[in-house]
Amino acid sequence: MASVPALSASIQQRVSAALAAAVPSAADADPLLRRSDRADFQANGVLGLAKRNKANPRELAAEVVAHLPEDDVLAGVEVSGPGFLNLTVSDAAILRTLAARAEDDRLGVPAAADPRRMIIEYSQPNVAKEMHVGHLRSTVIGDALVRIMEFRGETVIRRNHVGDWGTQFGMLVQYLIEHPHELDHESGETGGAAMSRLDRLYKASRAVFDSDAEFKERARRRVVDLQAGDPETTELWQKIVDESKIYFNAVYDRLDVLLTDDDLVGESAYNDDLPVLARELEDSGVAVRSNGALCVFFDDVLGPDGQPVPLIVRKADGGFGYAATDLAAIRNRVGVLKADTLLYLVDSRQALHFKMVFETARRAGWLPEGAAHHLPFGTVLGKDGKPFKTRSGETVRLMDLLAEAVDRARAVVEEKSSGLGAEEVGERSVQVGIGAVKYADLSTSRARDYVFDLDRMVSLNGDTSVYLQYAYARIRSILRRAEGRTPKAHPQLELAPAERALGLHLDELAATLDGVAETYEPHKLASYLYGLASAYTTFYDQCPVLKAPTPEMVENRLFLCDLTARTLNRGMGLLGIRTPEQL
């Protein structure tokens, strides 16, 4: 089915045509249409047009009104103040538009007119290390953007750029050679067991590395073997990577995100390209040698002493760091994968790094102007307003955080769903608890910090996923009790104020998703969904559904319920949050 134009688009088109008819020289004038608390919409473009044409704004506004088509889309137009137009949409137009949306599986949301081929890099854990609260935002925001962009018809390639290379792996592999059973498995193990083994391996190898000079030297030689592709070293390194994947997948499964092993591309994948990359940068003059290192300099990147701060592509000892790996990834993503848009979900502390990496890649001719975007995000804070830590000052482990969220959610589910069995309570607790964590993150503007407060997150009141999930479950309960009465739009009916407000909000889904795609900010969708649930709550309180006065009103209100449930389900799904049929 073709996409359904939003009511705002229909009104915009009408007012634009009326402006052009009133002032032929202003065919491209913007009506400046927006939602209004004085009517459904307000058009403010007449005032500026009158000033440019030295006309009386109220008189020009009246002329524009005279050129508006006489149909049943607009129920009323009023000239207000210095030429503002207050526009009220007819009830019939609202219901006809919503009925068209309801006929479409996509709820009338159009696919992108010019779909892109994009890489979204997110999560980025380190091999052999536990994921902590610092990985939460990248993983959750990145997953939501993947879902939203794919729904819009963009071709999305997920990339989990993990840290799996460097000096510490010499230490880990050497210890594993000398203690070959450190990563042995037992039957029936979970991702938690994998992490316990990795944690034990890392701590034990670090202790020996720090205390035994001979082991430290063996570990350093092992790094050389790893970089040279020595078979025994590579095999054991791969064993550590595979063990980490078991753990990562356990976290991703619990967090209910889309990442799989196929999306995981470590720093090691680009190792063979680094010498070639460095030579190209030097030969082209983009990079120069400075104190033995290969560096790229920038006029606007200076240190506290006023001296240039370079991007170091290759260190003086010949080793490569993150900058070289990130540059190699860009070459691969644009040159091989043919991506035209690169999105990096990495915290705001890396802003300067990515600025220099992107500019270097652009100078080298590997990255088209404006193709790469660093999407920084704020920090997860504790209730004390400081970065979230355990009582002992350690970074909070992500799996511990998610387990606590599920435990808190269980109390809410048991309170609201006394008729559910133990298995169903467990399933709902996971959906509610994980949804609460994800929504708290996604409902916050990406650039802002937010306080991690589980008591607030699992509350049935306020801007929480539980509030939205409960609204959805309430609607599904009404639809189950409809007893043969079907949802059906009746455009001839007059709508109550709460019905109108709900209907107009339902019509804004496509515009909301356009806004998310333009700025890469999922919180705009979360805000829309909270507004929808709030509008439904008002409708539910003021407009009896199954006890409406006439059969037509029952069907019409069931229709509004059904479309609201579908919109909540679709929107929450795009955020990666489940909507249980019962709570």
Side-chain angles (χ1 to χ4, degrees):
M1 179 177 172
S3 61
V4 181
L7 287 166
S8 59
S10 298
I11 304 303
Q12 173 103 1
Q13 186 179 38
R14 282 168 166 74
V15 179
S16 293
L19 282 171
V23 184
S25 63
D28 297 327
D30 188 346
L32 299 178
L33 191 73
R34 61 178 180 81
R35 288 297 304 273
S36 171
D37 55 3
R38 298 188 178 186
D40 295 331
F41 297 95
Q42 186 176 85
N44 299 335
V46 173
L47 183 58
L49 191 59
K51 287 182 178 179
R52 289 194 296 273
N53 288 272
K54 296 182 172 56
N56 181 295
R58 287 187 64 87
E59 291 178 1
L60 180 57
E63 191 173 348
V64 172
V65 171
H67 284 94
L68 286 170
E70 295 183 3
D71 55 27
D72 64 350
V73 173
L74 287 172
V77 183
E78 178 188 55
V79 178
S80 171
F84 300 139
L85 300 182
N86 289 332
L87 305 137
T88 301
V89 183
S90 71
D91 293 346
I94 293 173
L95 286 170
R96 282 200 308 269
T97 299
L98 295 184
R101 292 199 179 286
E103 288 295 313
D104 182 19
D105 287 340
R106 294 176 55 85
L107 303 177
V109 177
D114 186 18
R116 295 165 289 178
R117 182 175 177 82
M118 58 172 55
I119 305 284
I120 300 183
E121 179 186 313
Y122 61 113
S123 194
Q124 308 124 337
N126 289 309
V127 164
K129 291 186 179 179
E130 284 195 89
M131 293 178 69
H132 53 75
V133 68
H135 293 105
L136 178 64
R137 300 212 71 185
S138 174
T139 306
V140 168
I141 297 171
D143 186 68
L145 285 175
V146 167
R147 294 171 188 266
I148 292 167
M149 296 303 174
E150 287 184 337
F151 178 68
R152 284 175 46 81
E154 317 277 12
T155 297
V156 178
I157 301 171
R158 303 187 294 264
R159 275 292 175 265
N160 192 359
H161 187 77
V162 303
D164 66 348
W165 207 241
T167 56
Q168 71 171 354
F169 289 96
M171 174 187 79
L172 292 167
V173 170
Q174 186 61 37
Y175 188 86
L176 201 54
I177 286 175
E178 298 176 14
H179 301 81
H181 301 295
E182 194 67 30
L183 295 183
D184 286 352
H185 287 238
E186 296 180 11
S187 61
E189 289 186 343
T190 64
M195 192 60 245
S196 294
R197 284 190 297 272
L198 288 167
D199 188 56
R200 187 171 61 246
L201 171 67
Y202 187 86
K203 289 178 178 177
S205 62
R206 171 57 70 180
V208 179
F209 186 86
D210 291 340
S211 63
D212 186 335
E214 292 183 358
F215 176 82
K216 180 179 290 188
E217 181 58 31
R218 293 196 298 275
R220 286 174 173 164
R221 289 199 300 269
R222 188 61 59 182
V223 175
V224 177
D225 293 339
L226 178 62
Q227 292 173 341
D230 172 67
E232 180 189 24
T233 305
T234 303
E235 181 181 351
L236 290 171
W237 167 82
Q238 188 63 55
K239 187 174 184 179
I240 295 169
V241 172
D242 291 343
E243 193 76 10
S244 297
K245 286 181 182 179
I246 295 171
Y247 165 68
F248 294 155
N249 289 334
V251 176
Y252 295 144
D253 181 64
R254 180 53 110 188
L255 202 47
D256 198 11
V257 297
L258 299 172
L259 286 169
T260 68
D261 285 351
D262 291 338
D263 308 317
L264 190 151
V265 180
E267 295 170 346
S268 59
Y270 307 105
N271 186 59
D272 293 345
D273 190 40
L274 300 186
V276 178
L277 175 149
R279 187 167 58 250
E280 286 186 21
L281 288 175
E282 187 171 12
D283 290 348
S284 65
V286 172
V288 296
R289 292 181 182 272
S290 177
N291 296 322
L294 187 63
C295 304
V296 181
F297 290 91
F298 310 86
D299 293 338
D300 58 346
V301 182
L302 304 176
D305 58 359
Q307 295 300 307
V309 176
L311 181 76
I312 300 176
V313 178
R314 188 176 57 223
K315 303 171 188 175
D317 64 4
F320 294 96
Y322 300 124
T325 305
D326 284 336
L327 287 168
I330 288 174
R331 273 169 40 113
N332 175 266
R333 293 167 183 183
V334 175
V336 178
L337 299 179
K338 307 301 180 185
D340 52 54
T341 303
L342 309 180
L343 305 182
Y344 291 76
L345 270 296
V346 184
D347 74 61
S348 55
R349 293 172 297 179
Q350 299 300 316
L352 180 60
H353 168 78
F354 281 109
K355 175 184 176 180
M356 294 194 292
V357 166
F358 294 163
E359 175 59 18
T360 299
R362 189 194 64 76
R363 291 181 189 177
W366 304 331
L367 181 66
E369 186 74 41
H373 306 269
H374 172 215
L375 306 182
F377 49 82
T379 303
V380 181
L381 305 176
K383 292 182 182 180
D384 59 0
K386 298 177 181 178
F388 198 27
K389 303 281 186 180
T390 65
R391 289 182 179 178
S392 61
E394 297 175 351
T395 302
V396 179
R397 298 190 302 179
L398 188 50
M399 281 298 253
D400 290 347
L401 200 71
L402 300 179
E404 186 177 356
V406 172
D407 286 344
R408 296 286 186 93
R410 182 180 296 274
V412 175
V413 173
E414 289 175 340
E415 177 187 345
K416 284 292 177 182
S417 305
S418 56
L420 293 179
E423 184 176 342
E424 289 175 308
V425 167
E427 179 183 342
R428 298 290 192 280
S429 299
V430 172
Q431 292 174 343
V432 171
I434 301 303
V437 170
K438 295 170 82 168
Y439 185 83
D441 198 308
L442 293 167
S443 60
T444 303
S445 173
R446 175 167 47 77
R448 287 179 51 204
D449 300 340
Y450 77 95
V451 174
F452 195 93
D453 181 353
L454 277 175
D455 291 331
R456 182 185 62 80
M457 290 178 184
V458 300
S459 172
L460 281 165
N461 301 310
D463 188 5
T464 68
S465 66
V466 191
Y467 177 71
L468 273 63
Q469 289 169 324
Y470 187 64
Y472 175 79
R474 173 188 278 169
I475 297 171
R476 297 301 300 162
S477 175
I478 291 172
L479 294 172
R480 285 192 295 271
R481 290 185 283 113
E483 297 176 346
R485 290 168 288 186
T486 57
K488 182 180 179 181
H490 288 274
Q492 77 279 7
L493 291 178
E494 182 178 343
L495 295 177
E499 291 175 295
R500 286 181 56 82
L502 178 59
L504 288 167
H505 198 93
L506 282 166
D507 191 51
E508 294 175 1
L509 176 62
T512 299
L513 292 176
D514 283 344
V516 173
E518 182 178 347
T519 62
Y520 309 120
E521 293 178 306
H523 80 272
K524 294 178 178 179
L525 176 57
S527 177
Y528 167 80
L529 294 172
Y530 175 62
L532 178 61
S534 299
Y536 181 79
T537 298
T538 302
F539 161 82
Y540 179 83
D541 291 340
Q542 298 180 6
C543 303
V545 177
L546 300 179
K547 295 183 179 179
T550 68
E552 291 78 13
M553 288 181 70
V554 171
E555 290 180 342
N556 201 63
R557 289 178 178 175
L558 282 172
F559 165 76
L560 290 173
C561 287
D562 183 62
L563 187 56
T564 299
R566 289 174 60 193
T567 304
L568 284 170
N569 178 265
R570 172 71 77 181
M572 294 285 272
L574 292 176
L575 294 179
I577 297 174
R578 305 282 178 172
T579 44
E581 294 289 305
Q582 289 177 276
L583 272 185

